C-alpha cells in the first residue's frame, strides 16, 4: 500500500519570489527506507517539513498563492497539519534539558496518547531505552549524555510513540564517523524490527547507499527530483564492496561532486 504520495508539488515560501520546490512527484511504500540527497538549498528539508506538516503550502500566502500547487497524501489523506502518524528526528537532538532521558520519552508518549497511565509510559520509555542500548542512562539528563547518546534517545522517542512514519533530517550529521556508523546499524536494526517507513535527509552518499531502498537525487534552484536510484544491494551491506562503491560513485557523479578526468594538454 502507498504510504506517502507527493503529487505535482510546487512550493514557494510566503513573501518570497523564489520557488523552493518544483514538480515534485514521489511515492513511498509502507515500510520503505528512502533517502534524499542534494546540495544545500535544494529543498530537502523543506520537503521533509511539508511531509511532516510542519509547514503547509497554504494558498493564503499572498505572494505564493499562484505558485503553491499539488499536494501530499498520507494513506490517501491530504497533509494539512502535523499528526501522530509522523515523528521527526532532527540533527540537533531537541531534548528537553530539564528532563531525564526516560522523562523525555515518557513526555512524548503522553502527548501522543494521554490515555496511557504514567506507570505504563515509563515502562515503554525504559523498554525503548534498552533497545537503543541506554538501559542504564534513563535517569541522566541530556547534558550528561554524549551527542550519540542524545540522538539514541531521540530515535527511541520517535519509535516509542508508534509513529508509522519517521522523518529524519540529517540526524547523524554532527556525529563522528564511528558513532555515525554505529547509529546507522542501530537505525537499520530498529527499522527491520518495527517496519516503520523512514524518510531520511542526508548529505552523505555513503550513508544513503548503506541505509536505503531508494535514493532520491535533487537539484537546486528550484528543487527538483533529477533521479530516483534503486539500491539493489543485499543486506547487510559492506562499504568496501565493489558494487557498493560503484553505486556511491554514481550518486556522487549525479551530484557533480566527482571531477571528470580530463587528459592534460601537455606533459612534462
Amino acid at each position: 500500500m502507498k504510504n506517502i504520495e507527493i503529487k505535482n508539488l510546487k512550493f514557494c515560501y510566503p513573501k518570497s519570489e523564489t520557488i523552493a520546490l518544483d514538480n515534485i512527484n514521489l511515492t513511498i511504500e509502507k515500510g520503505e527506507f528512502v533517502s534524499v540527497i542534494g546540495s544545500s538549498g535544494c529543498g530537502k528539508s523543506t520537503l521533509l517539513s511539508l511531509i511532516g506538516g510542519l509547514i503547509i503550502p497554504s494558498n493564503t500566502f499572498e505572494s505564493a498563492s499562484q505558485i503553491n500547487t499539488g499536494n501530499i497524501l498520507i494513506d490517501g489523506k491530504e497533509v494539512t497539519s502535523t499528526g501522530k502518524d509522523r515523528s521527526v528526528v532532527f540533527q540537533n537532538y531537541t531534548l528537553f534539558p530539564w528532563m531525564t532521558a526516560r522523562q523525555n520519552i515518557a513526555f512524548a508518549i503522553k502527548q501522543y496518547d494521554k490515555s496511557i497511565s504514567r506507570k505504563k509510559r515509563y515502562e515503554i520509555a525504559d523498554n525503548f531505552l534498552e533497545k537503543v542500548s541506554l538501559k542504564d542512562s534513563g535517569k541522566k539528563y541530556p547534558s550528561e549524555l554524549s551527542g550519540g547518546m542524545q540522538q539514541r534517545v531521540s530515535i527511541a522517542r520517535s519509535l516509542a510513540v508508534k509513529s508509522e512514519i519517521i522523518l529524519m533530517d540529517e540526524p547523524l550529521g554532527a556525529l563522528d564517523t564511528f558513532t555515525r556508523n554505529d547509529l546507522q546499524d542501530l537505525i537499520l536494526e530498529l527499522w527491520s524490527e518495527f517496519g516503520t517507513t523512514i524518510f531520511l535527509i542526508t548529505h552523505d552518499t555513503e550513508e544513503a547507499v548503506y541505509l536505503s531502498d531508494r535514493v532520491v537525487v535533487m537539484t537546486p534552484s528550484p528543487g527538483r527530483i533529477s533521479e530516483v536510484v534503486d539500491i539493489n544491494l543485499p543486506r547487510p551491506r559492506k562499504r568496501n564492496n565493489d558494487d557498493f562503491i560503484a553505486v556511491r560513485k554514481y550518486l556522487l557523479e549525479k551530484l557533480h561532486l566527482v571531477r571528470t578526468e580530463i587528459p592534460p594538454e601537455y606533459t612534462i
Side-chain angles (χ1 to χ4, degrees):
M1 182 182 293
K2 297 173 183 176
N3 200 3
I4 304 172
E5 293 180 86
I6 306 170
K7 298 182 177 180
N8 305 315
L9 183 66
K10 190 174 185 179
F11 178 77
C12 177
Y13 281 101
K15 300 180 181 179
S16 172
E17 299 297 328
T18 303
I19 299 173
L21 296 168
D22 185 38
N23 194 32
I24 302 296
N25 287 277
L26 182 66
T27 297
I28 300 173
E29 304 293 334
K30 281 186 180 294
E32 194 174 12
F33 200 129
V34 173
S35 293
V36 181
I37 61 174
S39 60
S40 296
C42 73
K44 303 185 298 296
S45 293
T46 297
L47 181 58
L48 179 143
S49 295
L50 286 163
I51 295 172
L54 301 174
I55 54 176
I56 304 297
S58 171
N59 285 331
T60 60
F61 295 164
E62 293 179 5
S63 64
S65 60
Q66 302 302 317
I67 297 176
N68 294 336
T69 59
N71 51 23
I72 299 174
L73 306 176
I74 304 293
D75 291 338
K77 297 180 180 179
E78 186 168 6
V79 173
T80 57
S81 65
T82 57
K84 295 181 180 180
D85 55 349
R86 288 152 284 152
S87 58
V88 184
V89 179
F90 295 100
Q91 183 173 349
N92 54 348
Y93 316 120
T94 62
L95 300 176
F96 294 121
W98 60 87
M99 291 184 180
T100 64
R102 69 197 298 259
Q103 286 172 339
N104 266 281
I105 297 172
F107 180 79
I109 295 169
K110 181 179 180 180
Q111 303 314 301
Y112 274 73
D113 190 347
K114 290 181 172 56
S115 68
I116 299 177
S117 68
R118 184 180 186 276
K119 179 181 178 181
K120 184 63 176 178
R121 290 198 301 269
Y122 279 100
E123 288 176 357
I124 295 171
D126 290 338
N127 177 48
F128 278 93
L129 282 169
E130 184 171 2
K131 287 184 181 295
V132 297
S133 302
L134 291 177
K135 179 181 178 181
D136 298 324
S137 299
K139 294 182 179 180
K140 292 183 178 180
Y141 291 91
S143 61
E144 301 174 292
L145 303 173
S146 68
M149 293 169 77
Q150 290 185 61
Q151 199 60 291
R152 286 174 182 266
V153 176
S154 296
I155 292 168
R157 181 178 58 185
S158 292
L159 290 167
V161 299
K162 297 183 178 179
S163 297
E164 297 176 12
I165 299 167
I166 296 182
L167 307 170
M168 295 186 165
D169 195 355
E170 298 189 63
L172 311 181
L175 304 176
D176 64 83
T177 300
F178 298 108
T179 303
R180 184 165 63 247
N181 290 352
D182 186 42
L183 283 183
Q184 286 170 1
D185 288 333
L186 173 66
I187 289 169
L188 284 176
E189 180 183 332
L190 296 173
W191 169 66
S192 177
E193 179 178 352
F194 292 100
T196 309
T197 304
I198 296 182
F199 184 84
L200 170 72
I201 303 297
T202 181
H203 277 104
D204 188 337
T205 53
E206 180 180 291
E207 180 171 88
V209 176
Y210 189 72
L211 295 175
S212 311
D213 294 320
R214 291 187 294 154
V215 176
V216 178
V217 183
M218 292 188 65
T219 59
S221 302
R224 296 189 177 101
I225 294 175
S226 67
E227 186 173 348
V228 180
V229 180
D230 292 322
I231 310 298
N232 297 315
L233 299 175
R235 301 179 186 273
R237 294 171 180 165
K238 298 184 181 298
R239 302 172 198 270
N240 61 351
N241 176 275
D242 288 343
D243 291 334
F244 186 103
I245 294 170
V247 175
R248 181 170 181 259
K249 183 172 184 282
Y250 178 79
L251 291 176
L252 286 169
E253 289 171 344
K254 291 297 295 183
L255 294 171
H256 307 292
L257 296 179
V258 172
R259 180 178 175 183
T260 302
E261 293 296 329
I262 302 175
E265 295 180 0
Y266 60 90
T267 58
I268 299 175

